[in-house]
Structures are given as structure tokens and as C-alpha cells.
């Protein structure tokens, strides 16, 4: 699969992982005086990627437990090969696709995106992935389709959180078709040019950078094109707190906490919170999708 690069989201802007790690180690040694200098610069919502270590040890993947380190501890049990994805509903070419067949001929892109969890922590993650639009165009979306529904694998014997029924599994999510076709929406298969780790949603997961992280469903085994808005896991669990859209919005607070600021993972103990950006910094690209909608109602 070839690589394609897109403006201001590419690896070219990023510090290489090894250099970045070295610099962080140096910074880590300069607490005290250094921390004062850092405090000023860290208050901006920048695009400096988190380390692979941070990205793979602080996770939400409730199928493997609810603690942030539980997925890193438990997700080795996930069986990711062979992997197939069922594509059904309003498509020209429905079927059970082997993952390789579904992605064959499509382009893997490098995208450095902000990732903002609804819990008000954030990271910057250098993903490798395929535009969802490329996959949907390959299977042929029919004109009656208005939404895309996604489903995560269930392997009860391998997933300790499924045994404990902490959510109603399978984890399900959905997007409006125009959101799904937007070029920022990708299906990630890698991070830092390595195959995506199990705890991050191997072998393939959704990434929608302008929405709260729970929309970015992991380890996908089914994609359904349909006319009606699909149910989504967190909305089913708590409809008052989690809407279908869940666009990152610093002006609309969660019922139990502010969404105006966020804690960047890896910033250290004394790092100030940073401002959360409208649509997580992707307002220019995606605001048009919601023209005419009241985003304090359509949460
Ligand atoms: N997908 C599944 N199947 N199960 C989950 O529990 N958690 C979501 C989302 N996708 C989740 C999921 C939430 S709340 C977040 S913030 C992100 O995954 C976390 O992604 P990360 O662990 O790769 O940072």
C-alpha cells in the first residue's frame, strides 16, 4: 500500500520519535527552574505527538477493563488474525471481507491528529490509516444510505470486561454519512508506522478527530450502511450525558464537568491545563457539516 501525505498533518511537522524521546528525557531532568519555562509554552494546544509509550499504556477499551492501564495489561488476549469485516445494509457490494481484501489497493495515510477524550484528557497521535471514504466508495454506498453503523468484535473468553458486562457489548458506534465521508475520518491500522497495538483497537479502528474519543470505535468487525440513525454504546448507557454527535465543543459542558479545558497526557505533574478547541481544532474543515444545527441541542 502506498503512502499519501496531506498538508500540515504530516510526519514532516513532527519530531521523530527517538529525538522526541531524548528531548523529553532532557526536559524531565529539568524540573524546578525548567518547569516554569515549560508551564508557559505548554498552555497552547499544540500538535507535538505523544510518545508511543503514552499512547499504548493510557487507554479506554472497556472490553479489557475500566482502568487506564487495563487494556495494556489484558489486550494481548485479543485474537486479531485472521480478521474479517462484514459490510452490509445499503451497499452495492455487501459481504464478509477479509481485512486485506477490503483494504487492497487503498492508500495508507499519515495523520497527526489531536485526540480528545470526553473525560477531558487529550493526546496527539501519529496515526497511519485509510480514509473511510475510500473504503465506502469501494463497497459502493447506495443513495438511500444516510448513516454508517460500526460494531466492535466480541471475544468473551478473551475480554475480561465483556465477562463483567460493564457496558452492553458489542460496543457500537455510528456516524452520519457526510461525517463518515469527510477526508479527516480515517480507519487507523497503525501508530508511529507500527501496526496498531491491540489496546488501541487492532487491527483496525475508526478515528474521527473532531469528536470525543468514544466515537472512535476499536477493533471493528461490522460496517452497516443504513437509513436511520444507529444506536451508540455510550448514548444507550447514559443518553443525558452522551449524544449521537459528540463533537468536541468547549462551550457545551458535560453535565458533570467542564469541557473548556483539557489535560494533555505526558505534560507532567505541574503542567497547566490547555484550552480545548472548537471541533478539537478542526473547525475550518468540519464546521460546514453542521450548518443550521444548534450544537447545544445536537450534542
Ligand atoms: N472502542 C471500544 N470497542 N471499546 C471502548 O471502550 N473506548 C472509547 C474509544 N473506542 C472504547 C472504544 C473511548 S472512551 C476512547 S477515549 C478511545 O477509544 C480511546 O482510544 P485510545 O485508547 O486508543 O486512546
Amino acid at each position: 500500500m502506498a503512502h499519501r501525505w496531506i498538508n500540515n498533518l504530516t510526519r514532516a511537522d513532527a519530531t521523530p520519535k527517538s529525538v522526541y524521546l531524548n528531548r523529553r528525557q532532557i526536559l524531565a531532568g529539568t524540573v524546578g527552574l525548567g518547569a516554569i519555562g515549560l508551564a508557559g509554552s505548554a498552555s497552547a494546544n499544540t500538535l507535538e505527538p505523544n510518545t508511543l509509550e503514552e499512547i499504548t499504556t493510557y487507554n479506554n477499551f472497556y472490553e479489557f477493563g475500566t482502568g487506564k492501564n487495563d487494556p495494556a495489561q489484558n489486550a494481548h488476549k485479543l485474537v486479531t488474525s485472521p480478521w474479517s469485516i462484514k459490510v452490509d445494509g445499503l451497499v452495492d457490494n455487501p459481504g464478509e471481507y477479509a481485512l486485506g481484501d477490503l483494504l487492497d489497493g487503498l492508500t495508507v495515510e499519515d495523520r497527526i491528529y489531536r485526540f480528545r477524550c470526553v473525560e477531558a484528557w487529550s493526546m496527539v497521535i501519529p496515526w497511519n490509516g485509510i480514509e473511510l471514504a475510500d473504503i465506502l466508495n469501494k463497497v459502493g454506498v447506495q443513495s438511500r444510505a444516510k448513516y454508517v453503523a460500526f460494531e466492535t468484535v466480541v471475544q468473551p473468553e478473551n475480554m475480561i470486561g465483556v465477562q463483567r458486562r460493564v457496558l452492553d457489548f458489542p460496543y457500537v458506534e455510528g456516524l452520519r454519512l457526510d461525517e463518515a465521508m469527510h477526508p479527516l475520518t480515517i480507519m487507523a491500522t497503525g501508530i508511529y508506522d507500527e501496526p496498531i497495538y491491540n489496546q488501541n483497537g487492532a487491527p483496525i479502528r475508526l478515528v474521527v478527530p473532531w469528536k470525543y474519543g468514544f466515537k472512535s470505535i476499536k477493533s471493528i468487525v461490522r460496517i452497516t450502511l443504513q437509513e436511520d440513525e444507529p444506536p451508540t454504546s455510550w448514548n444507550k448507557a447514559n443518553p443525558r450525558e452522551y449524544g449521537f454527535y459528540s463533537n468536541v465543543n468547549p462551550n457545551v459542558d458535560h453535565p458533570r464537568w467542564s469541557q473548556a479545558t483539557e489535560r494533555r497526557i505526558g505534560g507532567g505533574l505541574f503542567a497547566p491545563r490547555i484550552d480545548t478547541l472548537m471541533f478539537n481544532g478542526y473547525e475550518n474543515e468540519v464546521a460546514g457539516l453542521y450548518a443550521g444545527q444548534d450544537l447545544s441541542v445536537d450534542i
Side-chain angles (χ1 to χ4, degrees):
M1 286 179 278
H3 272 64
R4 182 160 75 191
W5 301 79
I6 86 163
N7 244 353
N8 81 20
L9 299 165
T10 70
R11 186 65 47 76
D13 287 332
T15 317
K17 183 170 50 169
S18 54
V19 176
Y20 182 67
L21 287 175
N22 283 337
R23 190 147 57 81
R24 301 239 336 195
Q25 282 152 10
I26 293 163
L27 290 176
T30 61
V31 200
L33 263 187
I36 296 166
L38 271 181
S41 58
S43 62
N45 195 330
T46 60
L47 268 176
E48 183 158 19
N50 282 85
T51 65
L52 187 62
E53 164 92 17
E54 288 158 356
I55 296 166
T56 57
T57 57
Y58 190 95
N59 299 102
N60 279 333
F61 198 167
Y62 274 22
E63 287 87 335
F64 294 102
T66 54
K68 294 298 179 231
N69 191 240
D70 287 350
Q73 296 297 320
N74 299 325
H76 62 276
K77 290 197 174 163
L78 179 70
V79 177
T80 60
S81 177
W83 194 269
S84 59
I85 299 185
K86 180 177 186 175
V87 181
D88 61 354
L90 301 169
V91 290
D92 295 334
N93 306 304
E96 184 90 29
Y97 289 83
L99 182 59
D101 293 341
L102 187 62
L103 304 185
D104 187 43
L106 305 182
T107 304
V108 177
E109 316 235 358
D110 297 330
R111 301 285 180 91
I112 298 168
Y113 285 160
R114 291 183 197 82
F115 189 86
R116 169 63 157 80
C117 180
V118 73
E119 298 162 338
W121 54 265
S122 67
M123 299 200 200
V124 173
I125 303 182
W127 303 103
N128 316 109
I130 292 107
E131 285 188 9
L132 177 58
D134 288 351
I135 296 174
L136 295 180
N137 287 333
K138 184 168 179 174
V139 297
V141 178
Q142 297 182 345
S143 59
R144 272 196 304 130
K146 298 284 177 292
Y147 292 90
V148 189
F150 305 88
E151 197 175 299
T152 293
V153 72
V154 181
Q155 296 175 0
E157 64 288 3
N158 302 334
M159 294 173 146
I160 196 165
V162 168
Q163 293 160 16
R164 293 179 189 150
R165 303 182 59 85
V166 292
L167 271 178
D168 182 19
F169 297 109
Y171 194 100
V172 289
E173 258 304 337
L175 295 172
R176 223 170 50 192
L177 186 60
D178 58 344
E179 298 174 325
M181 297 299 276
H182 193 281
L184 287 178
T185 303
I186 60 167
M187 294 282 270
T189 53
I191 295 175
Y192 271 121
D193 290 332
E194 289 184 39
I196 195 162
Y197 282 36
N198 287 359
Q199 55 264 43
N200 293 96
I204 186 162
R205 62 91 59 88
L206 184 68
V207 178
V208 193
W210 71 94
K211 292 178 178 286
Y212 291 121
F214 69 83
K215 298 292 294 182
S216 292
I217 179 175
K218 297 179 169 181
S219 306
I220 294 169
V221 289
R222 186 173 180 187
I223 301 175
T224 308
L225 278 291
Q226 57 191 63
E227 222 167 333
D228 301 325
E229 186 181 291
T232 59
S233 281
W234 280 103
N235 181 256
K236 282 196 292 180
N238 193 336
R240 206 177 70 85
E241 298 191 351
Y242 307 104
F244 176 80
Y245 286 97
S246 292
N247 293 313
V248 175
N249 188 339
N251 308 314
V252 176
D253 287 338
H254 187 277
R256 288 182 283 134
W257 58 84
S258 165
Q259 295 291 27
T261 63
E262 63 200 54
R263 178 173 63 92
R264 182 60 56 81
I265 299 301
L269 213 51
F270 303 108
R273 295 177 73 86
I274 59 178
D275 289 342
T276 291
L277 304 175
M278 187 65 202
F279 292 113
N280 206 23
Y282 304 99
E283 185 170 13
N284 288 343
E285 290 86 352
V286 303
L289 296 175
Y290 308 101
Q293 281 182 254
D294 182 345
L295 296 178
S296 63
V297 175
D298 291 342
I299 58 161

